[in-house]
Amino acid sequence: LAAERLAAAVYQGSPLSRPILGKASTLNKMTGESLRAYQEAHYRPGNLVAALAGSFTQAQVDKLSDCLAQLEPGPVPQYRPAAYRPAVTARRKAMEQNHLILAFPAPSYLDERRPQLLLLNSLLGGGCSSRLFQEVREKRGLCYTVYSYAADHEDTGLLGIYTALGQEQEEQALETIYHLVEELAEHGPTQEELDRVREQAKANLLMGSESVQARMSHLGTSQLLYGSVLEQDDILDAYDAVTVPQLRQLAEQIFDFSQLSLSAVGRVPPAEEYAQLLSP
């Protein structure tokens, strides 16, 4: 709910703002006929990729190709581009913990700096050795769960920081997160941090390639999003090319506090109080 409300606020007016499950008002309008019309308009050869990995024969490939060739050709629907804009939203709900997401605008998945973004996210809040986990949870004991994530799309993206915690710890946790992000933007990571997250990313890539399903997913996703398959060696080289100055520059650009957004759900105060608390 916190993530859904965040997207609705920062991407207001674009398809990215809509809840994936829809709403009662939209679901009640659906019929078999309307779903069929949607399928025919959107599932076209121009925006379809079929990916295969594992044990298959050429005959099976030909049969699949023949089947997909029956799809009606035609123009691919175009969507209104989305753009991030800062917003603060709060929803009161009787829950044991408050759930908070702070967000900053980030590059799209088409940006050449995507490997930098992934490594920056990893060292900020991508695991137990990240800055957020070590400082907010391990050192200060302010929460049980805290992490960061990159949510990038074709035309926009954001870097989010999520935490779930009690009301009493909320203000101190937000202040700690604020200063951690500020420190990263001003001074960047250390070489040791970069080396650690780089090796983690490369190891995850190599281990993931051992799964046939992961290889199939990579083939299809890469072709669909980028128009070509990104080879494993090229991805590894992209990680190896990332430098500390690059990450510092990216952090300085992303962590602009005038662009900070927040979504809060739980026993939370009004959005205006959060906006005042987070103002630079």
Side-chain angles (χ1 to χ4, degrees), residues 4-265:
E4 193 173 88
R5 289 177 58 83
L6 175 70
V10 301
Y11 297 134
Q12 186 175 3
S14 77
L16 288 178
S17 68
R18 302 171 191 159
I20 293 175
L21 290 178
K23 298 182 292 186
S25 59
T26 57
L27 294 172
N28 288 334
K29 296 177 183 177
M30 292 183 181
T31 64
E33 183 179 346
S34 69
L35 291 177
R36 178 70 177 180
Y38 183 92
Q39 177 191 359
E40 292 176 349
H42 292 78
Y43 288 73
R44 295 185 180 275
N47 62 351
L48 174 68
V49 169
L52 294 84
S55 177
F56 55 85
T57 66
Q58 186 59 46
Q60 291 170 322
V61 175
D62 294 339
K63 185 176 180 180
L64 176 60
S65 298
D66 291 341
C67 179
L68 296 177
Q70 304 304 312
L71 289 171
E72 188 72 25
V76 176
Q78 300 297 310
Y79 301 97
R80 183 187 309 169
Y84 174 101
R85 67 176 189 179
V88 176
T89 175
R91 166 77 177 273
R92 287 193 62 82
K93 194 174 179 66
M95 303 169 70
E96 183 178 350
Q97 289 188 312
N98 288 352
H99 297 257
L100 308 178
I101 302 177
L102 294 93
F104 296 88
S108 76
Y109 65 68
L110 295 176
D111 195 291
E112 62 182 8
R113 298 169 297 171
R114 189 167 191 264
Q116 301 175 27
L117 175 63
L118 296 180
L119 296 184
L120 180 67
N121 170 66
S122 183
L123 67 89
L124 173 63
C128 297
S129 57
S130 67
R131 290 193 179 192
L132 283 171
F133 192 95
Q134 287 297 314
E135 186 69 23
V136 184
R137 171 180 157 153
E138 295 297 285
K139 182 178 179 179
R140 299 180 184 269
L142 297 174
C143 65
Y144 180 77
T145 302
V146 61
Y147 61 83
S148 65
Y149 63 94
D152 47 358
H153 306 280
E154 183 178 26
D155 44 12
T156 187
L158 63 79
L159 192 152
I161 299 171
Y162 168 83
T163 186
L165 69 182
Q167 286 178 290
E168 311 77 33
Q169 291 79 33
E170 185 177 283
E171 186 171 346
Q172 187 180 353
L174 285 173
E175 183 179 343
T176 302
I177 293 171
Y178 192 104
H179 289 310
L180 280 172
V181 170
E182 189 175 45
E183 167 73 16
L184 191 55
E186 289 183 1
H187 304 291
T190 65
Q191 185 65 51
E192 181 181 358
E193 283 180 307
L194 171 55
D195 292 340
R196 171 176 54 79
V197 296
R198 186 190 348 254
E199 292 310 308
Q200 286 176 346
K202 292 165 65 176
N204 289 338
L205 176 65
L206 294 172
M207 287 189 292
S209 66
E210 296 177 2
S211 162
V212 176
Q213 183 175 350
R215 289 201 297 272
M216 177 198 67
S217 179
H218 171 71
L219 289 171
T221 302
S222 182
Q223 182 67 43
L224 185 66
L225 300 185
Y226 299 103
S228 62
V229 175
L230 301 179
E231 298 297 335
Q232 186 178 88
D233 287 345
D234 293 333
I235 300 175
L236 294 174
D237 289 344
Y239 283 137
D240 283 333
V242 176
T243 66
V244 168
Q246 286 177 335
L247 290 190
R248 179 181 178 182
Q249 184 178 27
L250 182 61
E252 185 178 12
Q253 177 184 345
I254 290 177
F255 300 128
D256 176 357
F257 287 93
S258 68
Q259 298 297 303
L260 175 60
S261 297
L262 181 140
S263 175
V265 174

